[in-house]
Amino acid sequence: MSKRRSLFDSKIVRRASVDALRKLNPRVMMKNPVMFVVEVGSVLTTCLLVSDLFTHHGHFRFDLQITLWLWFTVLFANFAEAMAEGRGKAQADALRLAKSETTAHRVNKAGEIEEVPSSHLRKEDKVRVVAGQMIPGDGEVIEGVASVDESAITGESAPVIREAGGDRSAVTGGTRVLSDVITVRITSNPGETFIDRMIALVEGAERQKTPNEIALNILLSGLTIIFLLAVVTLQPFAMYSGAPQTVFVLISLLVCLIPTTIGGLLSAIGIAGMDRLVQHNVLATSGRAVEAAGDVNTLLLDKTGTITIGNRQAAEFLPAPGVSADQLADAAQLSSLPDETPEGRSIVVLAKEKYNLRARELGQMKAEFVPFSATTRMSGIEVDGRSIRKGAVDAIARYLVEHGSELPAQVRSSVEEVARSGGTPLVVAENGRALGVIHLKDVVKGGMKERFEQLRAMGIRTVMITGDNPLTAAAIAREAGVDDFLAEAKPKDKMDLIKREQAEGKLVAMTGDGTNDAPALAQADVGVAMNSGTQAAKEAGNMVDLDSNPTKLIEIVAIGKQLLMTRGALTTFSISNDVAKYFAIIPAMFAGVFPVLNALNIMHLHNGESAILSAVIFNALVIVGLIPLALRGVAYRPMSAEAMLRRNLLVYGLGGVIVPFLGIKLIDMAIVALHLA
Ligand SMILES: Nc1ncnc2c1ncn2[C@@H]1O[C@H](COP(=O)(O)OP(=O)(O)OP(=O)(O)O)[C@@H](O)[C@H]1O
Ligand SMILES: [K+]
Ligand SMILES: [Mg+2]
């Protein structure tokens, strides 16, 4: 996906040229009122031209040229949209290759493996995938750890780790397992897979106009109606003053006055914005979210796996007074045996390596497992009369109070020591008594500080939210350079924080990967789920980052801002460039009867016909000329919104007035040189 295509790839241009003709279908054109008016005008002039042929009325050469250029205007606008779509279509073709049918190894009820075609897999089926095999469908790893080649969807060749239990459990059909064996629970039916959705997305099949686009379209339609009335009512005046105008001239005037530039490029700008996101390996399911990204005020990120690498590993056991290290390790290991989270597994490993504890078979023991949840923030086991719990400090402290005991001072100081270093302390308790602390180590990802600085320059406040304790949170927040943090947050706290910000009128973006992030991802205006994250997170957000990079929001915001700026700039340009056309056409229409109007002919255009023709030609060519800008977007540099607005008004407003004067004059000179009028 990350392969960059040049803007005017010849294959895309060829496909777009054909599509431009196909889009002439009035039912398609009707969705774009401004260009629909131009099409109706072109049909009208074409009919008149044919009747002129028989009646020998009119100025055939002039009328023919106007008619042709009117059709070109429509075609150029269609071409712009088709070019924007064409890039997505090329990407969809590449994705279809990744969708090939494979053989799946389904685990049946009896635990036996049967071979079935991947297209027969349904939700909740379990499949085993071994090294070298293609993962047959989207799902969640429920057993094992493997390295996976996801280049088919990300274009990135470095393998990624996917494992059961944690926040890196999602796998995508069409990617390949490189090492080890995993068991996957299928989470989507055929035709509803991630790649299917991705294809529909990049092809624009699901694209809907955003509320902003709809509003702008209404404004443009309003302008079109006003100019239509103005032109229609002009004729009686023209007749009264003894200079009745031909339909060709009237339609030319109308087409030049209505906002054809932005009308022709509007949808291309939107499609290109989505496409730019895809180039950055981000899939947005809503255009509205892309626009919201351009105006984001606050970014919330979770800590583990987002700001930190997220592979929290047990590094040390710190026993309470009167407890031996072996005793603590034994309890920690026993409670972690059935704990499939990466944290749980690493505790079993550390106990085995450091304290020579053999991983025991739980099968023979009568044990009841208490799984970890983000709400209770602890996990544990009931076995042989032993009741063991491990978890976040505040959670275990509360648990101890319920059992008539409390956290010893020595354990508290171990907790603080671990937390101050940025580690996560897990307190272990057995039968209502604290045994000590497990130090889980995690590291902040590289380059975070610089990235957060960039976000600050864009005017975005970053807030880290974590289920971890305040001391650890503070240490990591300082190291990563976020503006603020919220600790000991349960899933609902994350969502409430977003609601509070939104109530203050702020637009909130959130990146996350865990099931506990899902409610917050759904609530945020821009919810970016990591592709590595859980299915729940991916479904809750409105964007997925295939690279699972939490600071991708910088690019997402830049693309959103660029989209809004490009639309604003071209709207300004479109409306201001009509001024010059007015100066070209009005004198040409009436100079014969009102010689004083010649004063308006400041461009000194050759004659009336050449003036009108030049304006119409310029009006058509400017659409083509601006296609690269519409597709690429105007340049974006981090600066304040007001500075940006001032700069754009100057460049595109003033430019929009000046450029057409030069352009129309040049076209007029060319027309004279070629004896076209
Ligand atoms: N397997 C586990 N068993 C017991 N307690 C755990 C386990 N994993 C994590 N914890 C504790 O629960 C807390 C909350 O975990 P949770 O996954 O909700 O948030 P987090 O991963 O710390 O933060 P973030 O929201 O940034 O990912 C952790 O900080 C840790 O103290
Ligand atoms: K126009
Ligand atoms: Mg987490």
Side-chain angles (χ1 to χ4, degrees):
M1 298 290 292
S2 55
K3 242 188 293 153
R4 274 167 200 254
R5 251 169 257 275
S6 80
L7 209 50
F8 290 98
D9 184 292
S10 66
K11 237 168 80 192
I12 297 179
V13 172
R14 238 175 294 138
R15 173 140 69 171
S17 311
V18 177
D19 283 349
L21 286 167
R22 221 177 267 146
K23 284 174 189 284
L24 286 176
N25 177 351
R27 238 174 297 159
V28 180
M29 290 298 303
M30 225 125 69
K31 289 187 197 140
N32 183 343
V34 179
M35 294 319 292
F36 183 63
V37 166
V38 184
E39 185 174 41
V40 171
S42 316
V43 171
L44 221 64
T45 55
T46 308
C47 294
L48 276 176
L49 196 68
V50 173
S51 84
D52 277 0
L53 265 182
F54 296 102
T55 56
H56 301 286
H57 275 152
H59 300 231
F60 186 77
R61 225 161 58 124
F62 171 78
D63 295 353
L64 174 69
Q65 290 183 76
I66 289 290
T67 305
L68 285 177
W69 281 104
L70 289 179
W71 279 116
F72 283 141
T73 312
V74 184
L75 283 172
F76 290 162
N78 288 352
F79 179 71
E81 187 180 79
M83 277 298 291
E85 289 169 348
R87 287 149 63 83
K89 282 184 181 153
Q91 257 148 355
D93 291 345
L95 279 171
R96 284 208 176 83
L97 293 178
K99 247 188 72 168
S100 52
E101 175 95 7
T102 53
T103 305
H105 300 264
R106 187 166 63 188
V107 186
N108 68 16
K109 293 238 158 56
E112 296 150 359
I113 289 186
E114 51 191 23
E115 290 193 358
V116 293
S118 56
S119 56
H120 287 194
L121 292 176
R122 291 291 180 280
K123 266 186 199 169
E124 298 302 323
D125 277 350
K126 294 190 177 70
V127 293
R128 250 162 76 89
V129 195
V130 306
Q133 288 176 350
M134 187 99 96
I135 297 175
D138 298 351
E140 217 146 10
V141 181
I142 50 171
E143 211 184 295
V145 189
S147 61
V148 177
D149 172 8
E150 293 201 331
S151 57
I153 53 162
T154 62
E156 193 62 58
S157 56
V160 292
I161 300 292
R162 292 290 175 262
E163 61 187 345
D167 287 346
R168 296 192 292 183
S169 58
V171 288
T172 310
T175 60
R176 192 175 291 281
V177 171
L178 294 177
S179 72
D180 305 284
V181 190
I182 47 175
T183 306
V184 174
R185 185 172 55 84
I186 297 294
T187 52
S188 65
N189 289 328
E192 304 161 5
T193 66
F194 189 63
I195 292 196
D196 288 316
R197 275 193 297 152
M198 223 164 128
I199 291 172
L201 248 163
V202 296
E203 274 193 326
E206 285 172 7
R207 195 185 114 84
Q208 281 175 331
K209 282 195 185 123
T210 67
N212 277 341
E213 269 179 305
I214 293 172
L216 185 53
N217 242 319
I218 292 174
L219 176 77
L220 298 181
S221 309
L223 281 174
T224 305
I225 292 170
I226 292 172
F227 284 123
L228 189 64
L229 290 176
V231 170
V232 168
T233 50
L234 191 70
Q235 184 70 329
F237 289 105
M239 280 157 67
Y240 176 76
S241 15
Q245 301 296 321
T246 70
V247 173
F248 292 90
V249 171
L250 290 174
I251 291 179
S252 299
L253 176 67
L254 175 65
V255 168
C256 285
L257 291 183
I258 64 179
T260 46
T261 316
I262 184 64
L265 295 171
L266 184 59
S267 87
I269 296 168
I271 297 167
M274 292 288 242
D275 183 60
R276 262 197 302 286
L277 275 180
V278 175
Q279 307 279 336
H280 283 87
N281 271 348
V282 176
L283 300 181
T285 50
S286 120
R288 186 187 205 145
V290 182
E291 292 177 355
D295 286 329
V296 157
N297 308 99
T298 313
L299 166 62
L300 307 185
L301 311 101
D302 79 334
K303 173 179 75 78
T304 311
T306 300
I307 291 176
T308 65
I309 303 266
N311 194 13
R312 275 194 292 214
Q313 298 284 322
E316 208 181 346
F317 293 114
L318 305 163
V323 179
S324 74
D326 273 12
Q327 227 178 322
L328 171 60
D330 175 72
Q333 191 195 43
L334 192 56
S335 73
S336 302
L337 284 177
D339 185 355
E340 268 291 332
T341 64
E343 290 87 350
R345 267 184 277 125
S346 80
I347 293 169
V348 175
V349 170
L350 179 72
K352 194 157 103 188
E353 280 172 0
K354 271 258 232 352
Y355 299 89
N356 253 331
L357 298 183
R358 297 243 324 275
R360 289 153 279 199
E361 271 298 326
L362 267 186
Q364 288 99 304
M365 297 187 247
K366 261 192 72 188
E368 198 184 313
F369 176 51
V370 183
F372 169 73
S373 91
T375 313
T376 62
R377 287 187 288 135
M378 42 182 204
S379 61
I381 197 166
E382 302 284 332
V383 63
D384 292 341
R386 301 173 70 180
S387 172
I388 310 175
R389 293 290 182 279
K390 65 171 197 288
V393 190
D394 62 316
I396 294 290
R398 226 171 301 120
Y399 172 81
L400 287 176
V401 169
E402 279 163 23
H403 286 76
S405 144
E406 60 173 5
L407 217 54
Q410 182 96 34
V411 173
R412 274 198 189 281
S413 68
S414 298
V415 162
E416 284 183 18
E417 188 191 320
V418 170
R420 275 187 217 291
S421 75
T424 296
L426 283 192
V427 182
V428 183
E430 181 169 344
N431 297 341
R433 168 172 167 245
L435 293 185
V437 177
I438 309 170
H439 181 173
L440 297 177
K441 267 201 178 146
D442 200 356
V443 280
V444 171
K445 290 181 184 169
M448 280 291 160
K449 227 178 176 128
E450 296 74 30
R451 300 286 279 174
F452 286 131
E453 226 131 74
Q454 250 172 298
L455 282 165
R456 208 164 297 126
M458 291 173 153
I460 296 169
R461 194 168 78 94
T462 50
V463 183
M464 179 182 92
I465 27 177
T466 175
D468 226 328
N469 69 84
L471 276 178
T472 308
I476 298 286
R478 200 175 330 106
E479 192 181 338
V482 289
D483 296 322
D484 205 352
F485 69 86
L486 177 73
E488 283 170 358
K490 298 200 182 113
K492 196 171 165 303
D493 300 329
K494 300 189 183 188
M495 193 172 74
D496 290 344
L497 179 69
I498 297 182
K499 283 191 180 156
R500 266 204 308 281
E501 294 270 330
Q502 286 171 333
E504 289 173 25
K506 289 183 179 148
L507 281 178
V508 182
M510 153 100 194
T511 56
D513 59 357
T515 303
N516 58 345
D517 298 324
L521 283 171
Q523 177 67 34
D525 301 287
V526 185
V528 189
M530 306 290 99
N531 189 40
S532 59
T534 60
Q535 202 63 31
K538 284 160 80 170
E539 270 161 29
N542 43 28
M543 293 190 196
V544 174
D545 177 25
L546 296 177
D547 298 327
S548 305
N549 169 5
T551 62
K552 188 61 78 67
L553 207 91
I554 295 178
E555 278 81 28
I556 297 175
V557 167
I559 290 168
K561 283 194 190 296
Q562 211 185 17
L563 172 72
L564 298 177
M565 278 166 46
T566 308
R567 195 185 290 154
L570 291 185
T571 305
T572 314
F573 187 87
S574 180
I575 291 172
S576 60
N577 90 39
D578 289 342
V579 176
K581 289 172 231 159
Y582 176 85
F583 277 93
I585 296 184
I586 297 292
M589 287 169 85
F590 296 109
V593 284
F594 301 119
V596 51
L597 276 176
N598 243 329
L600 283 182
N601 184 9
I602 50 180
M603 286 175 268
H604 298 288
L605 301 176
H606 182 66
N607 62 28
E609 286 194 348
S610 81
I612 294 169
L613 198 51
S614 318
V616 171
I617 294 176
F618 177 84
N619 191 57
L621 290 183
V622 80
I623 296 177
V624 187
L626 289 173
I627 290 177
L629 188 68
L631 295 188
R632 241 185 246 129
V634 305
Y636 169 73
R637 259 171 282 127
M639 62 167 101
S640 78
E642 299 89 74
M644 187 87 74
L645 187 66
R646 232 177 301 123
R647 178 177 160 270
N648 283 338
L649 271 182
L650 197 73
V651 174
Y652 295 97
L654 204 61
V657 175
I658 295 168
V659 170
F661 278 101
L662 298 174
I664 291 174
K665 178 71 193 168
L666 282 175
I667 296 171
D668 180 71
M669 284 157 66
I671 288 174
V672 173
L674 296 170
H675 304 290
L676 292 174

